[in-house]
Amino acid sequence: MVKILHALSLTTFVFHLSFTLAISTGRRVPTPPLPILPLPTYSQLKWQQREIIMFLHFGVNTFTGYERGTGHEDPAIFDPVGLDANQWVSAAVDAGISLMILTAKHHDGFCLWPSKYTDHSVKSSRWKGGKGDVVREFVDAAKARGVDAGLYLSPWDRHEPRYGHNLEYNEYYLAQLQELLTKYGSLREIWFDGFKNSSALNVTYYFTEWFSMVKELQSSINIFSDAGPDVRWVGNEDGAAGTTCWATINRTSLSIGNASIEGYLNVGDPRGTDYLPAECDVSIRTGWFWHKSQSPKKLSELLQIYYNSVGRNCVLLLNVPPNATGLLPETDVHRLKELRNALNTIFSVNLAEKCSMKASSQRGGKGGGFGPENVLDGDHLWTYWAPGDEDDGEDPWIEVRVADGGIRFNVVRIQEAVGLGQRIKRHEIYVNGKRIAKGTTVGHKRLHRLKGGVVQGSVVRIRISESKGLPLISSIGLHFDPFWQPKDGS
Ligand code: FUL
């Protein structure tokens, strides 16, 4: 205790001393630079740090073999006799996934919870004699392991007779939203799918009312739709963002279910006035629902998807569908583990960690708190390198310097301090003076899996050739990816 008190008073003394010195010498402690708007919300920042989210498509299609049900399915066919949501959650935990999103209702209208507004649900199924509730089992299992839950509720409903009548259907949909948001604890994401067939009945969805109700009931939830307001669609279902990908976009140019904006969604907009990062949804299998004949993608494909989504400033929403027994297939669980092991192998070692850092300049000068060494600490958000004003027209740069021999790597990781706004527009990477890669946006995370394969060098320079205001880099990593063998260096 005495020791602690002693240590505390020493810290306080040192703090006071440096503060007093700074005042008496007239030196001001350098402040963080002003943010560049728009900024992420707290919930968006949390969401982005998850990197991978698990999607679970489950329902009557699991039993019929359809991908999009007709709405005429007999609910009795839903009978996952071995359903174990704990197994789903364990698979997610083992894969390092902290949020899972379940399809509470897909386009066929069948509800995985006993909604009081329809009988087209688990109530009319054989499963547990009609007394079961998949949503309940899912959220309880997730909570027990400290995993967050989210839900998907399809606006397009091919079963509900009210579909086709604007007011009645919107009230029905809102009533179901209220059930899900009030009875199942706090949810972290709610998914509004904009898809419907071109032959679907004409219904205007009252998104404004729906979204307001969602935020009223759960203010920290992220709302996903083609157009946000918190998370936007990336514009395809392949798990691939544009090589340029801004978290910023103009929401006024977006509408839900509009195919002509897919390109815009894919790259975002440097002049966008809304912070609305993209989520890349893709299935581990060909289909979204489980089908006996399909198998999971190869590890190499999943890794490429990771680089094309998380490595391009997005979050990967990876669908892993439960089978007709109600379990995630062992093949898929195994593949997820392989993915996690591979990511750990690649990214748990940062070859730059033991190196020294140098930069063209630093805000507030040496010891000012914005030096290049900040990119090697464990914080990937709020400690960062900021150049000073003295670069005077020269492109700011930051360098990793290896003391002896040099290092071999084939992946470069760059992260921006996005809490102060996404800024970098163009950057280049040099090894021993030779340019080995270039790119545009960085954002939360930019991964360059080097096209030419492994490089060796002792000076690695990242040059920021264009940015909105000062570029702020929170983390840099040089990694070795043993799974990456580009053919003939192309
Ligand atoms: C699409 C749907 O039609 C698919 O079935 C799936 O749910 C996917 C995530 O969104 O729009």
Side-chain angles (χ1 to χ4, degrees):
M1 189 58 165
V2 176
K3 262 194 184 150
I4 297 175
L5 281 178
H6 189 70
L8 276 178
S9 51
L10 190 68
T11 324
T12 323
F13 172 73
V14 171
F15 174 77
H16 275 298
L17 185 69
S18 43
F19 185 72
T20 321
L21 276 179
I23 301 278
S24 60
T25 56
R27 188 175 71 84
R28 287 192 179 150
V29 178
T31 56
L34 276 183
I36 292 186
L37 301 181
L39 297 183
T41 62
Y42 182 77
S43 302
Q44 286 173 325
L45 276 182
K46 288 273 160 212
W47 166 90
Q48 187 113 46
Q49 281 155 7
R50 296 180 192 273
E51 299 205 342
I52 306 181
I53 299 175
M54 190 190 281
F55 214 177
L56 300 114
H57 275 68
F58 191 44
V60 283
N61 295 341
T62 312
F63 298 84
T64 60
Y66 284 149
E67 263 298 303
R68 287 179 179 136
T70 59
H72 300 300
E73 292 78 12
D74 179 354
I77 60 171
F78 184 82
D79 194 16
V81 286
L83 188 143
D84 180 6
N86 298 305
Q87 187 251 5
W88 308 352
V89 175
S90 291
V93 170
D94 291 348
I97 294 175
S98 65
L99 170 61
M100 305 167 76
I101 302 176
L102 172 70
T103 53
K105 176 182 89 167
H106 202 251
H107 308 325
D108 52 69
F110 178 80
C111 301
L112 292 183
W113 81 104
S115 170
K116 77 173 179 204
Y117 302 103
T118 179
D119 288 331
H120 197 59
S121 77
V122 279
K123 276 193 287 194
S124 313
S125 74
R126 272 199 294 271
W127 182 59
K128 296 196 168 175
K131 298 274 179 290
D133 182 343
V134 184
V135 175
R136 167 74 53 219
E137 295 198 15
F138 164 66
V139 296
D140 285 353
K143 194 167 177 208
R145 299 291 302 274
V147 169
D148 291 322
L151 294 172
Y152 164 117
L153 185 70
S154 173
W156 184 33
D157 188 326
R158 305 183 84 179
H159 176 83
E160 177 51 44
R162 279 169 273 202
Y163 198 87
H165 307 277
N166 278 344
L167 179 63
E168 289 84 344
Y169 182 71
N170 275 280
E171 287 181 351
Y172 173 72
Y173 188 91
L174 252 179
Q176 294 204 317
L177 257 185
Q178 290 173 65
E179 281 187 317
L180 293 174
L181 291 162
T182 56
K183 292 188 189 318
Y184 295 94
S186 71
L187 303 171
R188 294 287 167 230
E189 185 163 335
I190 180 111
W191 230 80
F192 293 92
D193 188 340
F195 182 82
K196 64 178 181 189
N197 261 358
S198 49
S199 58
L201 291 172
N202 203 8
V203 174
T204 304
Y205 303 137
Y206 298 171
F207 284 115
T208 314
E209 284 79 354
W210 298 358
F211 294 170
S212 305
M213 177 61 76
V214 169
K215 290 285 176 166
E216 178 188 315
L217 296 175
Q218 300 211 17
S219 58
S220 61
I221 200 169
N222 280 315
I223 299 179
F224 168 99
S225 83
D226 291 0
D230 302 307
V231 177
R232 76 175 195 259
W233 185 41
V234 77
N236 62 56
E237 292 181 340
D238 312 321
T243 47
T244 294
C245 190
W246 289 93
T248 52
I249 203 159
N250 279 323
R251 277 196 72 204
T252 49
S253 309
L254 305 179
S255 52
I256 302 175
N258 170 5
S260 71
I261 57 168
E262 286 168 5
Y264 187 58
L265 290 172
N266 200 241
V267 298
D269 189 339
R271 283 181 298 275
T273 53
D274 302 287
Y275 200 92
L276 188 47
E279 191 168 82
C280 303
D281 57 321
V282 64
S283 187
I284 196 166
R285 293 167 163 238
T286 319
W288 292 101
F289 285 86
W290 174 82
H291 306 289
K292 205 175 172 76
S293 59
Q294 297 180 357
S295 46
K297 293 183 165 64
K298 292 190 291 216
L299 173 64
S300 56
E301 289 174 78
L302 292 181
L303 277 173
Q304 196 55 54
I305 287 172
Y306 178 87
Y307 280 100
N308 292 347
S309 53
V310 177
R312 293 180 183 170
N313 188 30
C314 293
V315 165
L316 168 58
L317 177 60
L318 182 60
N319 179 63
V320 190
N323 62 20
T325 309
L327 296 171
L328 299 184
E330 275 312 315
T331 45
D332 304 42
V333 173
H334 178 69
R335 195 50 48 81
L336 278 178
K337 271 198 193 124
E338 282 185 334
L339 176 64
R340 174 45 55 197
N341 290 339
L343 293 174
N344 288 348
T345 303
I346 303 165
F347 295 108
S348 59
V349 177
N350 182 0
L351 298 161
E353 211 161 73
K354 299 257 151 42
C355 303
S356 59
M357 299 297 308
K358 207 177 166 233
S360 50
S361 66
Q362 65 190 67
R363 184 177 178 84
K366 272 216 162 19
F370 299 98
E373 64 284 355
N374 287 344
V375 305
L376 295 182
D377 67 13
D379 179 297
H380 294 181
L381 198 55
W382 296 113
T383 65
Y384 46 87
W385 163 64
D389 300 323
E390 60 271 33
D391 284 337
D392 266 350
E394 296 291 313
D395 292 343
W397 53 262
I398 179 165
E399 242 172 38
V400 179
R401 293 174 157 229
V402 189
D404 39 46
I407 44 175
R408 296 178 79 243
F409 59 95
N410 56 6
V411 173
V412 179
R413 173 175 56 82
I414 314 174
Q415 301 191 231
E416 262 185 270
V418 289
L420 290 159
Q422 187 181 346
R423 297 158 177 244
I424 298 175
K425 288 182 163 180
R426 275 191 307 124
H427 62 282
E428 296 175 354
I429 305 168
Y430 295 82
V431 174
N432 293 354
K434 182 173 172 242
R435 192 170 77 189
I436 53 146
K438 61 180 177 149
T440 52
T441 47
V442 172
H444 166 68
K445 184 174 277 189
R446 178 62 190 259
L447 297 173
H448 286 276
R449 213 183 193 189
L450 301 178
K451 290 204 175 68
V454 175
V455 287
Q456 176 148 10
S458 49
V459 182
V460 182
R461 176 180 286 201
I462 296 171
R463 194 171 115 195
I464 311 304
S465 27
E466 202 181 340
S467 80
K468 294 198 219 173
L470 285 180
L472 307 174
I473 297 187
S474 62
S475 185
I476 288 178
L478 302 178
H479 303 276
F480 178 68
D481 176 347
F483 308 91
W484 180 230
Q485 272 117 21
K487 291 182 200 78
D488 60 42
S490 60

